Amino acid sequence: MLAKRVIPCLDVTAGRVVKGVNFVSLRDAGDPVEIARRYDEQGADELTFLDITASSDERDLILHVIEGVAAKVFIPLTVGGGVRKVEDVRRLLNSGADKVSINTAAVQNPDLVAEASARYGSQCIVVAIDAKRVVPASDSLDGGPAQGLSQQRSDWEVFTHGGRRSTGIDALSWARKMQDLGAGEILLTSMDRDGTREGFDLALTRSISDAVDIPVIASGGVGNLDHLAQGVLIGRADAVLAASIFHFGEFSVRQAKEYMASRGIEVRL
Amino acid sequence: MKVAVIDYGMGNLRSVSKALEHVAPDAEVLVTSDAKVVAAADRVVFPGQGAMPDCMREMDNRGLRPAILAAARDRPFLGICIGLQMLFDTSEEGDTRGLGIFPGKVRRFAVSGSAQGQATRLKVPHMGWNQVCQKIQHPLWAGVEDAARFYFVHSYYASPAAGNLIAGETDYGMFFTCAVARDNIFAVQFHPEKSHTSGLRLLANFISWKP
């Protein structure tokens, strides 16, 4: 059976991993290659690198990071952040990325998703959707799927710029549109839950996962191992992504997968 | 030893070449679109990404077909992903003719509908780590556990017309052929270059394979 995936996410700026990755005995806490190898040893199914470099002068450093990691770590690598043109996709793939994640640029120019997937194949185009609840959850919906997908709008909207800018686009129809344009996968982040450690927005995850035929990665809000299991069991996510619970050494990827297996989830151990 | 990784402009071959260099530090790994380099190589790896119609067209635009057919006749030859699919007669993807080295057809996974219930619905592409059941004994499976997990990402799968080609199968709603073998050719639907220990072992086996 196909395993549900566990994906650690690393924030990279100017070629260095940031946000306090805190492994015991790591010689250099900011070295992307060393951290990637550590996660690889723990059994990570994939790695996602989010380039948060602000300065355009230093943007190319992500290419060196990916080159370095791809020469040592033989699992799939996804890179996102600042992808604006088909040329950006090409350069990341050539440096060793297996998938490229497109976020804001997909909203500004949906044709980019169509062009990039036509050129390089859907398998390497991930569309990242940052969604925020715009309709308060009623009691009957809390923790469950949105009722009636036939309704015109879901309860979530697409946001850009780290959740600060509303687009007015309905998250569910956006996910379907991205699938139709050729996205091979959706990386779905709840901007309400991101950084809260309260768990995924399960109603959002389930609504999107049920609405599309392509795999959905749940992201945003993981604070413990049960949250990961809930993302799969209740949210019906195909993969779960987390950052801080792994970075701070609270849990290893292996512990996460062992816990998920104990909950009856198929994982690669 | 010269190992040619055939490059016809479709996607990223760095992972394939890095993984080969990793398992065969003494080999010369050449990512090439030059038919002469392919002709002179001791072993040939035939990868592929993207859509099969584009892959066939780009391969022919570079005049690589004769060199690929020749290598598939007489040297250790490893197809990966679309590189497996292209060895067959035809593909449903864009109604494309393949190289016709193996009899059979490449089909698309049916998106399973609500009949199965949403909870067990299978997504397309088939993406992630799935188990490979070995159907034959083969030197490329040496040291790879039966039902070991490999990384897959694809929407189409090969359906060989001859059952004796099947070297491995994977369950995704149904069992499909994920590895084929005949004489000097071995081809896999999954990505050994992205499949960690098992994948690297398979590549190392390919490097030492004497068909």
Side-chain angles (χ1 to χ4, degrees):
Chain A
M1 246 172 84
L2 182 65
K4 301 294 180 183
R5 290 167 280 153
V6 177
I7 308 174
C9 177
L10 299 164
D11 284 356
V12 178
T13 182
R16 304 276 297 165
V17 174
V18 290
K19 271 201 194 161
V21 173
N22 185 18
F23 283 135
V24 196
S25 79
L26 207 58
R27 277 170 295 142
D28 177 355
D31 177 12
V33 177
E34 206 172 334
I35 293 165
R37 289 180 78 160
R38 188 64 65 97
Y39 281 133
D40 177 48
E41 286 161 14
Q42 291 181 4
D45 294 311
E46 292 184 30
L47 292 172
T48 291
F49 294 87
L50 189 59
D51 183 16
I52 54 170
T53 306
S55 147
S56 53
D57 304 349
E58 293 176 322
R59 282 219 161 265
D60 283 356
L61 291 172
I62 189 70
L63 301 175
H64 300 299
V65 168
I66 300 306
E67 273 176 27
V69 173
K72 299 278 183 209
V73 173
F74 301 100
I75 57 174
L77 308 175
T78 302
V79 188
V83 177
R84 292 190 176 78
K85 309 184 291 280
V86 173
E87 172 65 10
D88 297 333
V89 176
R90 189 188 69 80
R91 294 204 308 160
L92 285 167
L93 292 176
N94 282 346
S95 68
D98 299 285
K99 305 187 228 179
V100 173
S101 161
I102 304 176
N103 189 345
T104 305
V107 174
Q108 288 164 348
N109 173 24
D111 286 345
L112 174 64
V113 174
E115 272 175 60
S117 62
R119 182 76 187 85
Y120 300 107
S122 291
Q123 84 288 339
C124 67
I125 303 300
V126 182
V127 170
I129 299 178
D130 291 347
K132 217 171 181 171
R133 185 178 274 283
V134 287
V135 176
S138 71
D139 288 347
S140 63
L141 294 181
D142 202 17
Q147 300 294 310
L149 296 178
S150 55
Q151 69 191 37
Q152 280 303 301
R153 292 186 70 86
S154 70
D155 294 350
W156 300 270
E157 234 175 58
V158 178
F159 278 66
T160 57
H161 298 82
R164 294 190 305 277
R165 198 171 297 179
S166 160
T167 63
I169 301 169
D170 177 60
L172 204 143
S173 38
W174 181 245
R176 286 204 183 109
K177 180 175 178 185
M178 291 299 100
Q179 165 178 288
D180 294 344
L181 287 181
E185 192 173 36
I186 285 174
L187 168 54
L188 177 67
T189 303
S190 161
M191 299 317 287
D192 301 304
R193 295 300 176 89
D194 202 30
T196 64
R197 302 175 65 89
E198 289 171 5
F200 296 122
D201 182 336
L202 296 171
L204 165 70
T205 307
R206 183 148 169 178
S207 296
I208 302 287
S209 189
D210 284 352
V212 295
D213 297 319
I214 54 180
V216 172
I217 306 168
S219 156
V222 174
N224 60 46
L225 299 185
D226 200 49
H227 290 153
L228 297 173
Q230 287 171 3
V232 172
L233 295 172
I234 302 170
R236 290 179 181 160
D238 301 282
V240 287
L241 180 140
S244 60
I245 65 160
F246 297 135
H247 296 338
F248 300 128
E250 272 172 84
F251 300 104
S252 69
V253 175
R254 190 163 315 281
Q255 283 173 307
K257 293 170 90 171
E258 281 167 358
Y259 177 78
M260 289 166 75
S262 78
R263 296 289 311 274
I265 298 169
E266 186 88 8
V267 291
R268 162 182 162 260
L269 281 171
Chain B
M1 185 203 297
K2 285 191 168 73
V3 182
V5 178
I6 300 176
D7 178 11
Y8 43 93
M10 292 298 295
N12 148 41
L13 303 179
R14 176 179 279 269
S15 307
V16 177
S17 64
K18 286 290 163 202
L20 287 165
E21 285 165 12
H22 188 83
V23 298
D26 299 329
E28 199 181 339
V29 178
L30 306 155
V31 176
T32 183
S33 54
D34 184 341
K36 288 197 236 41
V37 175
V38 177
D42 303 300
R43 290 167 196 271
V44 171
V45 178
F46 185 41
Q49 273 183 3
M52 180 152 151
D54 299 334
C55 286
M56 292 301 297
R57 189 190 62 232
E58 295 301 317
M59 176 193 76
D60 279 332
N61 282 348
R62 287 164 178 75
L64 284 163
R65 184 186 292 242
I68 291 167
L69 291 173
R73 272 195 299 272
D74 61 10
R75 269 158 292 157
F77 186 98
L78 177 65
I80 298 174
C81 195
I82 310 287
L84 171 148
Q85 298 178 7
M86 289 165 79
L87 303 178
F88 285 84
D89 290 327
T90 57
S91 172
E92 285 181 0
E93 188 173 18
D95 226 349
T96 313
R97 287 201 73 78
L99 291 166
I101 293 170
F102 291 148
K105 206 176 157 160
V106 177
R107 301 175 197 276
R108 192 173 207 279
F109 281 118
V111 173
S112 60
S114 49
Q116 279 186 280
Q118 290 282 337
T120 57
R121 199 166 62 123
L122 301 175
K123 303 285 185 89
V124 178
H126 171 225
M127 185 186 288
W129 298 79
N130 207 337
Q131 290 167 300
V132 171
C133 305
Q134 299 169 14
K135 304 308 281 184
I136 56 166
Q137 290 208 324
H138 195 282
L140 265 72
W141 292 140
V144 178
E145 236 178 279
D146 191 23
R149 288 186 187 276
F150 287 84
Y151 186 78
F152 288 83
V153 49
H154 61 124
S155 302
Y156 293 80
Y157 64 95
S159 177
N164 59 359
L165 291 172
I166 300 171
E169 285 186 337
T170 290
D171 182 4
Y172 195 57
M174 48 146 199
F175 278 92
F176 71 91
T177 300
C178 68
V180 288
R182 192 183 70 196
D183 306 327
N184 58 309
I185 305 175
F186 198 88
V188 292
Q189 179 60 62
F190 51 82
H191 288 272
E193 75 281 11
K194 285 288 152 185
S195 297
H196 206 255
T197 320
S198 299
L200 295 176
R201 179 63 199 253
L202 188 143
L203 292 176
N205 291 342
F206 173 70
I207 293 296
S208 57
W209 184 27
K210 294 185 182 73

